[in-house]
Amino acid sequence: MASLLAKKFSREREFRADRLASEMIDAKRMIHALRSLSLQKPVKIQEKQLSYASLKIFSQPKISELLSTHPSIKKRIAALEKEFSLN
């Protein structure tokens, strides 16, 4: 249970970091940077690395959001668009 709370905190911290970066450099530029990241091919996780795969930003799609330390890029972009009224 503590691990799930830590991962939830990590995801929330990522949203706050995106918001701060958007305030510093411009929300549209931050969204552009996130979209650029989303174009990268997902990393194939080697079998011996699966035990710490949840620490990676580009985790495999089968890992649920609940177990992820980062929100999806799609959710991060949506949060910034809502926060800065860019819809």
Side-chain angles (χ1 to χ4, degrees):
M1 186 64 153
S3 175
L4 292 177
L5 290 174
K7 290 174 183 179
K8 180 180 182 341
F9 177 75
S10 178
R11 290 188 301 271
E12 290 172 357
R13 187 175 49 209
E14 194 70 20
F15 283 123
R16 288 192 306 267
D18 288 345
R19 187 171 47 249
L20 177 61
S22 294
E23 291 170 358
M24 294 176 70
I25 66 167
D26 180 66
K28 289 180 182 180
R29 288 182 180 177
M30 182 62 187
I31 290 170
H32 177 75
L34 288 171
R35 285 194 174 121
S36 295
L37 284 175
S38 71
L39 297 175
Q40 293 182 4
K41 293 181 181 179
V43 175
K44 174 92 168 98
I45 300 172
Q46 296 177 11
E47 187 70 32
K48 64 183 179 182
Q49 296 177 326
L50 287 176
S51 62
Y52 62 92
S54 65
L55 299 175
K56 297 185 179 204
I57 294 174
F58 296 107
S59 58
Q60 292 178 336
K62 64 184 175 184
I63 297 174
S64 73
E65 289 183 27
L66 185 61
L67 299 176
S68 179
T69 58
H70 288 71
S72 70
I73 291 178
K74 183 177 179 179
K75 285 190 173 190
R76 292 168 66 186
I77 291 170
L80 290 175
E81 288 175 337
K82 182 179 178 182
E83 177 79 22
F84 292 94
S85 302
L86 298 174
N87 293 351

